[in-house]
Amino acid sequence: MEKKGLIERHTSSKDARQKAVVLTDKAVKIASACQSYLRKEEEEFAQQFSSEEREVFLKILQHYRNI
């Protein structure tokens, strides 16, 4: 990822063994584009179901989340 310009590693000034990994602007733009795409796809998928069906689905997910 570093070679592709997506992350940068920085060495700590206090401890040379410690490294910080930071996303580059290029990676932030790619991540943002991915999030937008996934949000759009999720909205399109959800439109296939009625609001009642979505509500039942969310209740089922919440139930399994609490187990």
Side-chain angles (χ1 to χ4, degrees):
M1 291 175 73
E2 192 172 18
K3 288 180 183 179
K4 293 186 178 200
L6 299 174
I7 61 169
E8 294 175 345
R9 288 188 290 175
H10 301 281
T11 304
S12 170
S13 60
K14 296 179 183 178
D15 186 349
R17 297 172 295 176
Q18 188 177 19
K19 307 280 188 240
V21 178
V22 181
L23 292 178
T24 62
D25 289 341
K26 179 181 176 181
V28 170
K29 288 177 185 174
I30 292 171
S32 178
C34 288
Q35 288 173 343
S36 295
Y37 171 79
L38 290 173
R39 222 176 280 115
K40 178 181 158 273
E41 289 297 313
E42 182 180 350
E43 288 172 9
E44 288 178 12
F45 179 74
Q47 292 303 317
Q48 298 177 32
F49 303 97
S50 69
S51 60
E52 293 84 17
E53 290 171 321
R54 290 192 301 265
E55 188 175 322
V56 169
F57 178 69
L58 291 174
K59 284 181 182 180
I60 292 169
L61 285 179
Q62 187 66 33
H63 172 76
Y64 282 103
R65 184 176 177 201
N66 293 330
I67 291 179

